[in-house]
Amino acid sequence: MKFSGDLEEQRYIRRTFELAKLNAGKTAPNPWVGAVLVKDGRIIGEGFHLGAGFPHAEVEAINSARRNNFSTEGACMYVSLQPCNTYGRTPPCVEQIREAGIKKVFFSVYDPNIDQKNYETGGVYIKGGILESEGRKILLPYLVFTEKKRPYVIIKLAQTLDGKIADFSGKSKYITSEKSLKLVHMLRAKSNAIIIGKETFVKDNPYLNTRNLKPSFLRKLQVVRQRIGGDYPNPIKIVIDPDLSSLFSNPEMNLYQGNNVLFIGSTDYAKEFLSSEFQKHKLSSRNNISFALIKSSDGVINLLDMIDFLYNLGIMVVIVEGGARTAWEFIAKDLFDEIWIFIAPKILGGGKSIGNNKPLSLYQSVGLKILSIKKTGEDILLRLSKELIWDVF
């Protein structure tokens, strides 16, 4: 049975949500989780998961209490996700909770990775389902990753009022405002990978980094940086290039500057290039660049196979940033979870839009719901999906 929880339970569970969001999207393949330890009506410890190999949020909260000389005996714990009861890289959280003398645990989201029928609590009282609908929105990419066995895919578009993503000459920098750009960089900071096509890579020479973050957001990231003992990880840059002809492009390209770049080539189209060029260019000397070969058809990479490949790499959150053809291939194949459309108050009257070469009939059109409308500077951001959108910030 699932419960909404009383007001006190809800208050502490909402605090676990705030903690979980500090590292949302960056713990792949693990979920981002927050935990709060309460005793005698006051919070004595807090924690959030830092990533694979680090202690889980529950243990972080226990350790936080102990560092501040609080006894955990008889305390209550609140967690955004059901505590695990199996051995992995770390011991079961349920066992460590019991050993800490914690008597009651309240959590929000039931973990789809856990065998609920054989869930053992070791005598600890556990109540779940508190504010679960809210918690699921925060954990949405993890739930998609776990239940659908693929990354959570966000398509990002910037366009004019008349639907153009570039002018007649192909120029697209910058259709939208500085404030919209900052929001995109915040989203990048919560993702594991960014996908672009070869044309965008060669013509736009993008950075695809998180250089333009708001100071308030940077302060939150600093909390995570201090805990993990290093820089907040930037997403992997992925370039879809069937024949890999751009693999050994100008080493001064912006994408190569301090980033990990993965080129996705075709098993059919890249063989000749690799056999003739691979030995001439020392790929190993450019240790931030790698490539993978995926099946293709008529020069188009099989996106299902590519998404499966990224899933097996443990990539949980992917942003598709362009260009027009790449974005349209994902939309037409229904390989996305939500779309972010930034609309600038500009009219071009011509230029490039997505789907120019492969339009659908009205009967075939992709149906979506507008689930969020937000003003960003002079622009409007629409977030669209068929069901839910990620509560990421």
Side-chain angles (χ1 to χ4, degrees):
M1 181 179 293
K2 299 180 181 181
F3 305 86
S4 60
D6 62 27
L7 291 179
E8 182 180 33
E9 292 168 3
Q10 291 180 19
R11 178 163 64 91
Y12 291 127
I13 287 293
R14 284 204 167 93
R15 176 55 185 161
T16 72
F17 293 164
E18 293 173 2
L19 292 166
K21 284 184 179 183
L22 286 173
N23 214 16
K26 305 303 284 193
T27 60
N30 292 355
W32 38 98
V33 181
V36 171
L37 204 53
V38 177
K39 187 173 182 179
D40 299 328
R42 63 180 294 194
I43 293 176
I44 62 170
E46 293 185 333
F48 60 92
H49 187 41
L50 301 173
F54 286 95
H56 289 186
E58 297 92 326
V59 178
E60 289 280 357
I62 291 169
N63 291 340
S64 168
R66 289 171 174 167
R67 283 194 299 271
N68 291 313
N69 297 316
F70 288 111
S71 169
T72 59
E73 191 71 33
C76 294
M77 177 169 283
Y78 297 83
V79 197
S80 57
L81 181 69
Q82 183 178 12
C84 67
N85 68 335
T86 56
Y87 282 90
R89 295 189 186 185
T90 58
C93 285
V94 168
E95 181 179 305
Q96 295 181 79
I97 289 168
R98 178 177 51 80
E99 290 176 352
I102 296 165
K103 301 302 182 184
K104 294 181 180 180
V105 176
F106 303 88
F107 70 87
S108 177
V109 180
Y110 285 82
D111 192 337
N113 257 335
I114 289 176
D115 179 358
Q116 302 294 343
K117 291 182 179 179
N118 297 303
Y119 187 68
E120 298 291 339
T121 65
V124 177
Y125 171 82
I126 294 186
K127 174 183 173 181
I130 302 167
L131 299 176
E132 187 169 25
S133 61
E134 293 180 34
R136 287 184 67 86
K137 290 177 184 178
I138 293 168
L139 272 173
L140 193 54
Y142 169 71
L143 299 175
V144 167
F145 187 82
T146 303
E147 297 170 350
K148 298 185 179 181
K149 308 301 180 187
R150 63 166 176 79
Y152 188 84
V153 179
I154 300 170
I155 297 172
K156 189 277 293 183
L157 300 169
Q159 66 178 49
T160 59
L161 284 173
D162 53 343
K164 306 305 178 184
I165 66 170
D167 66 15
F168 64 91
S169 68
K171 185 178 180 181
S172 61
K173 288 186 175 180
Y174 288 103
I175 286 176
T176 51
S177 66
E178 180 75 10
K179 192 167 184 180
S180 294
L181 185 62
K182 287 181 182 293
L183 187 55
V184 171
H185 284 212
M186 288 169 61
L187 179 62
R188 288 176 181 175
K190 296 296 184 180
S191 71
N192 308 128
I194 302 171
I195 296 175
I196 60 171
K198 172 184 175 179
E199 187 174 340
T200 298
F201 171 58
V202 174
K203 289 186 176 181
D204 291 358
N205 191 21
Y207 286 94
L208 301 184
N209 59 18
T210 57
R211 66 191 181 279
N212 204 6
L213 295 172
K214 296 193 304 184
S216 59
F217 191 75
L218 280 170
R219 285 193 292 272
K220 287 184 178 181
L221 293 191
Q222 190 61 31
V223 174
V224 182
R225 284 191 179 119
Q226 290 170 350
R227 296 301 310 279
I228 65 175
D231 289 334
Y232 196 75
N234 267 308
I236 298 169
K237 285 43 172 197
I238 299 174
V239 180
I240 300 177
D241 180 4
D243 64 7
L244 292 182
S245 58
S246 64
L247 177 60
F248 296 107
S249 54
N250 183 351
E252 301 304 315
M253 295 289 281
N254 293 329
L255 213 62
Y256 296 146
Q257 310 310 311
N259 297 311
N260 290 318
V261 185
L262 170 64
F263 286 84
I264 301 291
S266 161
T267 53
D268 299 319
Y269 286 78
K271 288 179 182 177
E272 182 178 350
F273 174 80
L274 289 174
S275 63
S276 61
E277 297 291 332
F278 187 67
Q279 297 303 323
K280 296 177 184 178
H281 300 273
K282 300 296 184 182
L283 184 62
S284 59
S285 67
R286 298 164 70 180
N287 55 20
N288 64 328
I289 301 172
S290 59
F291 74 91
L293 300 182
I294 304 293
K295 291 179 182 178
S296 67
S297 176
D298 298 325
V300 178
I301 295 293
N302 186 313
L303 294 185
L304 281 171
D305 286 351
M306 187 184 78
I307 286 295
D308 187 57
F309 171 74
L310 298 181
Y311 168 79
N312 288 314
L313 287 181
I315 291 174
M316 191 179 292
V317 181
V318 170
I319 309 174
V320 179
E321 290 213 21
R325 180 181 178 182
T326 302
W328 180 244
E329 290 292 337
F330 274 88
I331 292 172
K333 290 180 172 59
D334 196 25
L335 267 178
F336 66 92
D337 294 282
E338 60 176 294
I339 302 177
W340 291 42
I341 302 181
F342 292 87
I343 303 174
K346 300 172 183 175
I347 297 174
L348 290 175
K352 181 179 286 188
S353 60
I354 65 168
N356 272 354
N357 299 322
K358 295 182 179 180
L360 300 177
S361 68
L362 186 60
Y363 175 75
Q364 297 170 315
S365 62
V366 180
L368 297 167
K369 298 176 183 177
I370 299 175
L371 297 179
S372 173
I373 302 175
K374 176 183 177 69
K375 196 168 188 297
T376 62
E378 295 302 312
D379 311 321
I380 296 293
L381 167 61
L382 303 181
R383 292 180 64 186
L384 306 98
S385 176
K386 293 178 182 177
E387 299 179 47
L388 297 174
I389 55 175
W390 183 19
D391 184 1
V392 57
F393 300 126

